[in-house]
Amino acid sequence: MKEFDQKITKSILTGVQPSGVITLGNYIGAIKQMVRMQDEFKSYIFIADMHAITIPQDPASLHKNIRSLVALYLACGIDPNKNIIFIQSENEYHANISWLLECNTPFGELSRMTQFKDKSSKNVNFYAGLFTYPVLMAADILAYDVDYVPVGIDQKQHVELARNIAERFNKKYGETFKIPDAYITKSGTKIMDLVNPDKKMSKSSANQKGVIYILDDLKVIQKKIMSATTDSECLIKYDPENKPGISNLINICVALTGKKVEEIERDFAGKNYGEFKKYVANIVTTEISSIQKRYYDIINSSTLDKILDENIKITREIAKNKFMLMKEKMGLYK
Ligand code: ATP
Ligand code: LTN
């Protein structure tokens, strides 16, 4: 059975929602960081498909997106030998643990979750799962006794809730859970929309010409970059406030090549925007083309299923042990 590198002692757990597509912003801002962290931590990564269904989903596309996202993560550099990547709903102990935790979570505390308030206020009809979502997240985290939970600032309150739930449970029933810390990831470079460089590159953008998807056709990517909004100065200089378009393209180059801003400015001194955009397009399409090649190899191979099968065995065993311990502590029949 697969084991983590013995020299690595601290562990992390990351849940990602299966949105189906990932953007160049997700890749640079989040996935590349995860790839760096896999050498430092024992790392559990899972597709939070049970969190996804807290809002209505089309079953056929959800199903496709889950497997596709695992393949995308692997193609982007998540190494199956260094991470335990799995699908949340394949491990029924998450939901089982969640129920026991729900019975130990004050209603009032859950009502204060700002994400719930935010999401429920946007919909007239919403389901109970949207309300109990943070308890399932606590179950995901507490099942594995991890040290850190890397999250963006928007999920920090949920990790704090998980800590509260764990502390209360330990106090009431005796030592059961490790108390995890939120590891607030400084978002890597924020990649901006190519058409509207004052806004973050986002899947939900009104104008899709400003958003690069990792599975976009390479010609389409080239076109999007060549028509990126710039300015009329014809000067390749990093100045996010006055030259957001050019600065965004520079950021993309820095993130993908490791070059320094000054180096890029120097290389393109006196050159025009067309030449610079061609250079950026070449860097982006080269990187994305190799990701796509790996993605299509992985998605069409049985290796993906083998990895998932092996990992679900490992995580079921861990989560089952935690569930059984909780049952015992709470006096349930076992
Ligand atoms: P949407 O596209 O609907 O705004 P999203 O792509 O931001 O959603 P999230 O699930 O919120 O999706 O983000 C996943 C991760 O990707 C987060 O860590 C977030 O910081 C990062 N991320 C998303 N967009 C960008 C971006 N444009 N630049 C850098 N990082 C990004
Ligand atoms: N709610 C998170 C996804 C998520 C998660 C988790 C993250 C579900 N369970 C456990 C960290 C730990 C989101 O929407 N980004």
Side-chain angles (χ1 to χ4, degrees):
M1 191 176 287
K2 169 156 70 180
E3 275 180 10
F4 283 121
D5 182 339
Q6 293 301 313
K7 290 191 288 297
I8 299 178
T9 54
K10 298 285 185 194
S11 55
I12 56 175
L13 173 131
T14 308
V16 288
Q17 293 222 26
S19 59
V21 285
I22 59 176
T23 67
L24 184 65
N26 297 137
Y27 175 63
I28 291 176
I31 302 177
K32 277 174 85 70
Q33 281 200 58
M34 288 164 73
V35 171
R36 278 196 294 277
M37 288 173 100
Q38 67 188 3
D39 292 318
E40 247 183 276
F41 296 99
K42 299 177 182 183
S43 152
Y44 298 91
I45 299 173
F46 66 93
I47 310 300
D49 54 347
M50 294 203 295
H51 280 98
I53 57 168
T54 56
I55 52 173
Q57 299 284 342
D58 168 55
S61 32
L62 177 63
H63 189 261
K64 199 167 115 242
N65 290 345
I66 295 167
R67 196 169 186 277
S68 167
L69 193 60
V70 178
L72 266 171
Y73 272 82
L74 296 175
C76 286
I78 294 298
D79 182 344
N81 294 314
K82 296 180 183 166
N83 297 270
I84 295 191
I85 185 162
F86 66 105
I87 294 166
Q88 184 189 32
S89 68
E90 278 204 281
N91 188 340
E92 65 274 28
Y93 291 103
H94 286 229
N96 287 346
I97 293 173
S98 183
W99 177 252
L100 301 189
L101 294 180
E102 273 182 47
C103 297
N104 283 284
T105 306
F107 183 85
E109 197 173 355
L110 261 190
S111 315
R112 286 196 291 277
M113 295 295 117
T114 52
Q115 184 181 284
F116 169 72
K117 288 199 250 182
D118 203 43
K119 286 194 179 173
S120 58
S121 69
K122 287 185 189 139
N123 275 303
V124 187
N125 295 316
F126 54 88
Y127 297 90
L130 193 64
F131 184 66
T132 55
Y133 169 124
V135 189
L136 177 60
M137 188 163 155
D140 300 334
I141 297 167
L142 299 176
Y144 298 93
D145 286 330
V146 290
D147 295 284
Y148 304 110
V149 185
V151 282
I153 200 80
D154 61 318
Q155 295 293 324
K156 184 168 177 256
Q157 194 186 27
H158 292 159
V159 179
E160 273 159 13
L161 176 84
R163 286 172 58 92
N164 290 344
I165 293 175
E167 275 165 3
R168 241 188 334 259
F169 196 102
N170 285 350
K171 219 171 183 180
K172 185 165 175 191
Y173 301 105
E175 204 55 28
T176 309
F177 301 117
K178 184 167 199 161
I179 312 296
D181 279 316
Y183 184 114
I184 303 301
T185 43
K186 281 189 240 93
S187 51
T189 316
K190 195 185 209 182
I191 303 304
M192 310 307 277
D193 188 294
L194 296 176
V195 174
N196 204 339
D198 295 319
K199 289 207 181 111
K200 182 185 102 154
M201 184 181 283
S202 161
K203 294 186 262 295
S204 43
S205 165
N207 187 347
Q208 291 289 302
K209 286 190 182 135
V211 187
I212 292 178
Y213 293 100
I214 297 296
L215 293 181
D216 266 349
D217 186 279
L218 297 179
K219 286 211 179 76
V220 172
I221 295 177
Q222 167 114 16
K223 233 184 187 164
K224 285 178 178 173
I225 295 175
M226 292 309 290
S227 41
T229 303
T230 50
D231 52 68
S232 55
E233 202 180 18
C234 202
L235 174 68
I236 291 140
K237 185 174 180 307
Y238 190 75
D239 178 357
E241 204 166 307
N242 300 307
K243 298 167 73 68
I246 284 295
S247 304
N248 188 36
L249 295 177
I250 294 179
N251 272 336
I252 292 173
C253 290
V254 169
L256 297 185
T257 62
K259 280 192 180 174
K260 297 221 159 57
V261 170
E262 301 75 45
E263 220 176 314
I264 294 166
E265 286 175 341
R266 207 177 329 114
D267 289 351
F268 284 89
K271 304 214 166 128
N272 65 35
Y273 286 171
E275 284 172 89
F276 181 53
K277 284 178 171 175
K278 247 195 211 155
Y279 168 80
V280 180
N282 184 38
I283 285 171
V284 175
T285 52
T286 304
E287 177 113 0
I288 290 188
S289 145
S290 62
I291 295 176
Q292 288 185 358
K293 187 179 174 312
R294 285 194 294 272
Y295 169 81
Y296 289 112
D297 284 347
I298 295 166
I299 196 95
N300 295 318
S301 81
S302 58
T303 315
L304 178 57
D305 301 303
K306 269 203 211 111
I307 292 169
L308 290 172
D309 285 350
E310 186 187 348
N311 289 351
I312 205 62
K313 271 196 212 123
I314 300 172
T315 60
R316 280 187 86 244
E317 192 57 28
I318 299 172
K320 179 184 176 186
N321 287 339
K322 190 61 84 182
F323 176 61
M324 297 311 277
L325 177 67
M326 290 174 74
K327 276 181 81 175
E328 186 187 310
K329 300 253 180 192
M330 290 176 70
L332 290 170
Y333 203 73
K334 62 172 271 216

